[in-house]
Amino acid sequence: MPILEGEGVTKYFGGLAAVSNVDFYVDEGEIVGLIGPNGAGKTTLFNLISGALVPKSGVIRFQGANITGLKPHRICKMGIARTFQSVKVFANMPALENVMLGSLFGAPNSVAPAEAVREATALLDFVGLSAVGATPAKDLTLANQKRLEVARALATKPKLLLLDELMAGLNPTETAEAMALITRIRDQGITIFMIEHVMKAIMSVCDRIMVLHHGVKIAEGTPQEIATSKKVIEVYLGE
Amino acid sequence: MNAVGVDLKKLRAPALLLVLLLLLIALPHARPGYAVVLVYTILMYIVLTVSWVLFSAPTGYVSLAPAAFFGVGIYTSAILGMKLPLPVVICIGGLASAFLALLVGALTLRLKGIYFAIFTFGLVELIKHFVLWYELKYTGTRGRFLLPVGNNTIYYVMLAILVALLLTTYFIKRSKYGLALQSIGEDEEAAAHTGINVTLLKIITFAISAVFTGAAGAIWAIRLTYIDPYIAFDVNNSFMPVLMAIFGGLGQLYGPILGAVVFSFLREVLITRFPYYYMLLIGTILLVSILYLPNGLVGLIQRWRRRIWGGQHANT
């Protein structure tokens, strides 16, 4: 049974169908990639899953339960965590407190403050930020802010992690580190659904890829199938 | 640093506060009369300012509703003051304000930034005119009189409200909810996606802050002895807490308290010494402090401290 599935998910912005009748599924333990040109509706789809937006029609199920239209905090507590395309860290708070908030509020079971500190410290270590726990998030580099978002998301003990362009704006070394991080997260048993523009990353890391174009799903398959799909190449390069 | 040093430092602040509290309790016995009135006026402004800070400083939602909550407290007192014992009246004043805050919060806390500020400002006017309409239509009188009680009673009630408020603020700030409120101010969307029920937390904190503003209004009404809607819902009571908090500096809890003390003392002195120019002087002081003290009095203190103790730098 898929951990996440959507049926006929649709969202309009004014007259524009940002996401149009999209069916999708993510199996447990998979890393699924979501690609498509700018404006294809990728982030909108993530916003619909995480509860930031409510779909006009369609159903989204997580572990069999209907989560369509639930508030973001409820969805987070159920086990879906996310990061943002434009980083949204709590800028004036120390990195450690950023992550602690995830433990304190996002986890399915409530956690005592002392335990939250321990978990946050371990997670900062896991993403490679143990040296900057006391630094306000705004003073971190972009790469580190992105890792901080991942740590904060992991602190909510998710079963499914939505990564929205984790690698955008990172240099090649940082990209490689981010890819390694994704694999390590999967090894912990967390399912990953990721939007990415860095093709090398998505091709090597993902088990399966889904392509959106103008809000419509135009292709789905293994990285090889997607890389050789005529339709996908047309969308990206023109006919 | 040795262990004893750490312990002493930890004890210093509570010890200092305790001494201050004892001094405040002793004051009416040592200096009855005007000093008591002056100090409870200052205490009232501290209550208004800290209540405002409790909600607005961490979340960044600038509320101009204090005058509405204060006025609800005043009217509670005017309506029930002769029928019920004073402590009950104060509590009902607080709860009535909290109820209003819950209602208003549920309706409007989805508004962001300037829209929320303007709505809360409008709320004060709305309630003022509603009460005025009601009084003229149904009671036939514009104002109401209250039975005066002793200055010392007003003083001790105000002090008790302040102590309760400071304890509440301290525990909220230290709890995980304090952290969550701050995260709402930093990035509300991220806060919601981190599992925080942002709407509920905002509404409840807004209501808690209104409890103390309303309670202060309920006791203040007795000091006023005559009230009408224009006195009870004076918009100045919305702006003063904001000004005092900014004047003191928002970063630390002691900033707004310091701001309220200095500002209300200054106000009192200027009103008595320069009754015709006092608004002009207050305005000038505000302009200068905004221009030269962007972080308020706290910023000034921190700058002095840094000059004495030397700078501290963190690395990334």
Side-chain angles (χ1 to χ4, degrees), chain B residues 21-204:
Chain B
L21 182 62
L22 291 175
L23 284 177
L24 281 172
I25 291 172
L27 179 97
H29 303 286
R31 295 281 299 274
Y34 175 65
V36 172
V37 177
L38 175 67
V39 175
Y40 76 54
T41 306
I42 293 176
L43 293 180
M44 186 273 285
Y45 279 114
I46 302 176
V47 170
L48 287 193
T49 307
V50 175
S51 317
W52 182 82
V53 164
L54 173 65
F55 172 74
S56 288
T59 59
Y61 280 77
V62 173
S63 158
L64 293 177
F69 302 141
F70 197 65
V72 166
I74 288 179
Y75 263 88
T76 308
S77 201
I79 294 165
L80 301 174
M82 293 179 206
K83 296 176 191 139
L84 295 169
L86 187 60
V88 179
V89 172
I90 306 293
C91 290
I92 295 177
L95 292 177
S97 290
F99 180 72
L100 176 67
L102 285 176
L103 206 69
V104 172
L107 284 172
T108 64
L109 276 169
R110 64 194 72 229
L111 299 175
K112 296 244 164 82
I114 193 76
Y115 301 102
F116 178 73
I118 290 173
F119 184 92
T120 51
F121 180 69
L123 179 73
V124 179
E125 292 296 314
L126 180 76
I127 296 180
K128 181 202 292 178
H129 289 285
F130 173 77
V131 173
L132 192 63
W133 168 81
Y134 180 90
E135 293 282 60
L136 291 177
K137 182 151 172 118
Y138 292 101
T139 60
T141 53
R142 194 178 128 138
R144 288 166 183 261
F145 286 96
L146 288 101
L147 280 185
V149 299
N151 275 336
N152 286 3
T153 309
I154 299 177
Y155 178 90
Y156 283 119
V157 171
M158 202 62 94
L159 185 61
I161 294 170
L162 177 60
V163 170
L165 169 62
L166 288 179
L167 287 174
T168 309
T169 309
Y170 176 77
F171 284 113
I172 289 179
K173 242 181 123 89
R174 277 199 40 161
S175 75
K176 65 177 189 175
Y177 298 103
L179 215 56
L181 283 169
Q182 207 186 333
S183 77
I184 290 175
E186 298 278 357
D187 193 313
E188 194 164 338
E189 197 186 351
H193 282 94
T194 309
I196 297 163
N197 189 344
V198 290
T199 314
L200 189 67
L201 186 60
K202 281 188 297 186
I203 293 174
I204 287 179

Side-chain angles (χ1 to χ4, degrees), chain A residues 50 88 91-92 97 105-106 139, chain B residues 179 186-187 189 192-195 316:
Chain A
S50 74
K88 290 182 187 293
N92 291 300
E97 286 183 5
F105 289 93
D139 294 336
Chain B
L179 215 56
E186 298 278 357
D187 193 313
E189 197 186 351
H193 282 94
T194 309
T316 314

Side-chain angles (χ1 to χ4, degrees), chain A residues 29-207:
Chain A
E30 260 190 320
I31 300 182
V32 176
L34 179 58
I35 64 172
N38 286 324
K42 306 183 294 293
T43 296
T44 304
L45 185 60
F46 267 28
N47 284 337
L48 293 170
I49 298 169
S50 74
L53 296 172
V54 178
K56 183 173 178 290
S57 59
V59 181
I60 301 169
R61 275 187 220 96
F62 177 63
Q63 295 186 311
N66 187 347
I67 59 162
T68 325
L70 289 186
K71 294 265 183 229
H73 69 96
R74 290 276 310 279
I75 291 175
C76 175
K77 264 193 192 294
M78 289 176 82
I80 302 181
R82 72 171 291 181
T83 67
F84 295 89
Q85 185 175 11
S86 51
V87 284
K88 290 182 187 293
V89 290
F90 304 129
N92 291 300
M93 300 167 78
L96 186 76
E97 286 183 5
N98 269 264
V99 184
M100 275 173 65
L101 277 163
S103 296
L104 289 169
F105 289 93
N109 302 313
S110 67
V111 168
E115 180 61 22
V117 173
R118 218 170 308 135
E119 283 179 10
T121 313
L123 280 167
L124 283 178
D125 193 41
F126 179 74
V127 299
L129 291 178
S130 46
V132 292
T135 308
K138 64 174 178 208
D139 294 336
L140 300 176
T141 61
L142 177 68
N144 282 350
Q145 287 185 352
K146 293 202 159 193
R147 288 183 202 184
L148 182 60
E149 273 203 324
V150 172
R152 182 179 67 195
L154 290 177
T156 67
K157 302 187 186 70
K159 297 177 190 92
L160 172 68
L161 180 61
L162 309 175
L163 297 171
D164 194 346
E165 294 206 31
L166 182 62
M167 295 165 205
L170 302 191
N171 68 32
T173 320
E174 290 164 347
T175 306
E177 285 167 358
M179 280 163 67
L181 180 62
I182 290 172
T183 335
R184 279 195 291 139
I185 293 169
R186 196 257 301 265
D187 291 345
Q188 299 213 329
I190 296 168
T191 309
I192 293 170
F193 194 13
M194 59 189 281
I195 295 174
E196 199 51 71
H197 276 302
V198 180
M199 281 304 150
K200 197 184 119 202
I202 204 138
M203 291 297 166
S204 64
V205 148
C206 290
D207 302 311

